[in-house]
């Protein structure tokens, strides 16, 4: 797992030294994500420079140095990620006569490309983002994994440069005066994150998941192509077969995700997903498995009881970190520095990643994805109450709810939007249009124009719960959970792996009939049924609590200091927000959103 960056100078106006210096500044702005090694490649004749920071996990030797170059120097790659099936691909290539110098998955990608070209990309099982430079064909590929687990941002100027990087802040290292995206504040206040492909910077975009950008160095043109995608179907209609398939494929996925030449562990929150990952992983690693948990002095929030049930069951080498209010306050500055893009979530990921680093781990497995695929969120049970409105023609009547003081009822106003986003915002929207208009001094047309740019497939024909699964996967998980896991994990030089997002598992789950997958309305019915013999009953039957901290208490106790981060652009509205939060009438995440927005605007 690493950090990558690079540039292509169309004008050929930059000499070798300038190319190197600019790329080094971009690369080393992400040194936290690759503390073990660093490399750079420059082809002045083509105006190409590729940078790499390495976090060594597979083949810890110098043979894993990047950018990696083929023996004939015709192909160069700078790569971030893990290919979990690289050994099978490698053996296939060996059988065809290829020879390897290292035990890295990086070299396998290069040799696979030499054999199969663009057809290589869909063969890769893993999480990855890489740049591959084919000197003979005079093309550059930017490639991102099937689920968007690893980030890859890019900028193309028609007259000057192609730039790419693992983090948005890297573009500011290239140009400190980079102009902001004028819509990012709107997106953040509406969603609580910035939806792909947009970022805080103007004309800096996230490459879509399951896609590659192909750049032709001969004419400076590029195109983006999708090489893999997921569709909902009903090809698996037998209940017992579905249960059997999920168990078998998930078990294999966890095993694949354990491959590592560096210390590896599992995040254990005490919920179903992380508990299942730990239990299945223990079947392969036994008592050598490392598990990590966070607990609090505030007993109403700590999940130590459930964590203990699991690590006692599997006899793992367990580490616990107590996080206090002082820890939260003392780490604020570092947390904001780690936050590559504004988010209202992820503070938990920051601290558990910090804990993993303190324990000497370089890679961990997480339960991200279980809720989205198997129906763990309240949105799955609530959707049927509102599904009747999907074809209703008088949706604008819902604007009435914007004027209510109850935050939950306010969300009903999002059903006035003529866009599939309406249902996502109904369940997860942050601030209403009226609030955003007043707080940012924007008009409704401006907000609606920004939302129209957020492309979303209308999957409603696949059934209400599959539609929710799509929304939670393609918006909440992709734009918030995975981004948070990446930049907070990598800030602590930690790779976070997500076996629930194994490509074969996702393919299978999306093929299971909705009536089987979400049988009886029981949250996560299918995954718990598949592992009912090994999941502790206390874990399955407990009420979903999430991986939460006592933030409401901590932030209210530090209201004065935190409120200093909030821009006072509208004193009346700011005072109302602070009063509501201080009186316990506003959820901490909304208060925190204004804090984060203030920090990121300065």
């Amino acid at each position: 797992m690493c950090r990558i960056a690079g540039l292509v100078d169309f004008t050929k106006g930059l000499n070798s030294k300038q190319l190197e210096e600019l790329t080094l500044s971009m690369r080393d702005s992400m040194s936290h994500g690759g503390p073990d090694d660093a490399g750079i490649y420059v082809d002045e004749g083509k105006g190409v420079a590729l940078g790499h920071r390495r976090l060594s996990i597979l083949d810890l030797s110098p043979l894993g140095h990047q950018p990696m170059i083929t023996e004939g120097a015709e192909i160069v790659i700078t790569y971030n990620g893990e290919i979990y099936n690289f050994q099978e691909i490698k053996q296939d290539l060996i059988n065809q006569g290829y020879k390897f110098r290292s035990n890295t998955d990086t070299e396998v990608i290069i040799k696979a490309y030499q054999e199969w070209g663009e057809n290589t990309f869909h063969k890769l099982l893993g999480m990855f983002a890489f740049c591959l430079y084919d000197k003979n064909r005079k093309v550059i590929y930017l490639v991102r994994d099937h689920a968007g687990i690893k980030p890859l941002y890019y900028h193309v100027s028609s007259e000057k440069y192609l730039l790419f990087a693992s983090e948005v802040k890297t573009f500011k290292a290239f140009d400190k005066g980079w102009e902001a995206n004028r819509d990012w504040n709107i997106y953040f206040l509406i969603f609580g994150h910035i939806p792909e492909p947009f970022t805080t910077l103007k004309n800096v975009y996230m490459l879509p998941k399951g896609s590659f950008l192909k750049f032709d160095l001969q004419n400076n043109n590029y195109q983006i192509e999708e090489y893999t995608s997921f569709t909902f179907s009903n090809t698996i209609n037998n209940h017992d077969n579905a249960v059997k398939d999920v168990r078998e494929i998930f078990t294999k996925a966890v095993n694949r995700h354990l491959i590592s030449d560096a210390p590896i562990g599992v995040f254990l929150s005490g919920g179903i997903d992380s508990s299942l990952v730990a239990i299945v992983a223990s079947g392969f690693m036994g008592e050598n498995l490392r598990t990590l948990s966070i607990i609090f002095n505030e007993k109403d929030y700590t999940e130590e009881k459930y964590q203990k049930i699991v690590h006692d069951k599997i006899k793992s080498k367990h580490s616990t970190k107590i996080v206090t209010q002082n820890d939260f306050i003392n780490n604020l500055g570092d947390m904001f520095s780690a936050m590559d893009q504004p988010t209202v979530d992820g503070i938990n990921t920051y601290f558990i990643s910090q804990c993993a680093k303190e324990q000497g781990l370089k890679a961990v497995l997480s339960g991200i994805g279980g809720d989205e695929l198997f129906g763990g969120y309240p949105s799955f049970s609530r959707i049927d109450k509102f599904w009747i409105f999907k074809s209703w023609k008088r949706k604008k009547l819902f604007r009435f709810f914007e004027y209510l003081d109850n935050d939950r009822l306010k969300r009903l106003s999002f059903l006035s939007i003529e866009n599939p986003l309406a249902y996502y915002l109904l369940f997860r929207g942050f601030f209403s249009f009226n609030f955003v208009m007043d707080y940012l001094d924007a008009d409704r047309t401006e907000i609606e124009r920004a939302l129209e740019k957020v492309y979303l497939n209308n999957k409603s024909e696949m059934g209400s719960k599959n539609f929710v699964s799509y929304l939670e996967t393609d918006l909440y998980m992709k734009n918030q959970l995975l981004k948070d896991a990446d930049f907070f994990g990598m800030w602590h030089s930690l790779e976070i792996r997500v076996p629930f997002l194994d490509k074969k598992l996702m393919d299978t789950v999306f093929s299971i009939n909705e009536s089987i997958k979400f049988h009886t309305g029981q949250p996560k019915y299918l995954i718990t049924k598949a592992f009912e013999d090994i999941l502790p009953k206390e874990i399955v039957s407990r009420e979903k609590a999430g991986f939460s901290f006592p933030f409401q208490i901590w932030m209210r106790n530090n209201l004065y200091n935190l409120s200093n981060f909030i821009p006072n652009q509208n004193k009346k509205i700011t005072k109302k927000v602070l009063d509501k939060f201080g009186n316990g009438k506003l959820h901490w995440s909304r208060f925190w959103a204004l804090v984060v927005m203030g920090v990121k605007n300065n």
Side-chain angles (χ1 to χ4, degrees), residues 570-597:
N570 189 315
K571 294 182 179 180
K572 182 178 180 181
I573 296 177
T574 301
K575 184 179 185 305
K576 183 178 179 181
V577 169
L578 294 179
D579 287 346
K580 283 185 70 174
F581 182 65
N583 293 328
K585 296 180 179 179
L586 185 73
H587 192 264
W588 67 265
S589 59
R590 287 174 173 76
F591 169 73
W592 182 243
L594 301 186
V595 172
V596 169
M597 194 176 81

Side-chain angles (χ1 to χ4, degrees), residues 285-318:
M285 296 188 67
E287 295 182 6
N288 291 320
L289 181 67
R290 303 276 297 276
T291 52
L292 303 160
S293 297
I294 282 178
I295 61 173
F296 314 104
N297 292 325
E298 293 84 353
K299 297 303 179 185
D300 289 342
Y301 291 88
T302 195
E303 299 185 58
E304 188 173 12
K305 169 187 172 182
Y306 300 103
Q307 296 159 0
K308 189 174 187 304
I309 289 171
V310 176
H311 68 73
D312 280 353
K313 173 183 175 68
I314 63 179
K315 310 298 181 189
S316 60
K317 296 178 180 178
H318 189 69

Side-chain angles (χ1 to χ4, degrees), residues 353-417:
S353 299
Q354 186 182 70
C355 173
K357 184 176 183 179
E358 291 167 356
Q359 295 300 318
L361 296 178
K362 282 192 172 183
V364 294
L365 274 61
S366 163
I368 290 175
D371 286 314
E372 290 79 4
L373 294 181
F374 292 102
Y377 294 127
S379 52
F380 285 89
S381 60
R382 294 173 182 167
I383 183 63
D384 290 333
K385 298 176 184 177
F386 305 101
W387 200 233
I388 188 175
F389 298 116
K390 72 179 188 297
S391 58
W392 197 40
K393 303 300 182 184
R394 305 182 69 183
K395 292 184 178 181
K396 290 186 178 179
L397 290 176
F398 281 101
R399 284 189 184 180
F400 161 78
F401 290 96
E402 288 183 24
Y403 300 94
L404 301 183
D405 197 43
N406 183 292
D407 288 327
R408 285 194 172 185
L409 291 177
K410 270 183 185 290
R411 284 184 183 164
L412 287 168
S413 66
F414 288 119
L415 287 175
S416 66
I417 303 172

Side-chain angles (χ1 to χ4, degrees), residues 20-35:
E20 181 174 336
E21 287 178 349
L22 283 169
T23 305
L24 287 175
S25 67
M26 295 170 66
R27 183 197 75 180
D28 292 342
S29 69
M30 304 178 291
S31 58
H32 48 272

Side-chain angles (χ1 to χ4, degrees), residues 221-237:
N221 290 333
Y222 76 95
Q223 59 189 27
I224 294 176
E225 297 183 24
E226 186 179 74
Y227 68 85
T228 190
S229 63
F230 298 99
T231 56
F232 291 100
S233 68
N234 293 323
T235 55
I236 301 176
N237 290 291

Side-chain angles (χ1 to χ4, degrees), residues 137-140 214-223:
R137 294 179 57 214
K138 299 180 177 59
V139 294
I140 283 179
K214 182 179 181 180
F215 186 87
D216 189 331
L217 290 164
Q218 298 180 88
N219 55 29
N220 298 335
N221 290 333
Y222 76 95
Q223 59 189 27

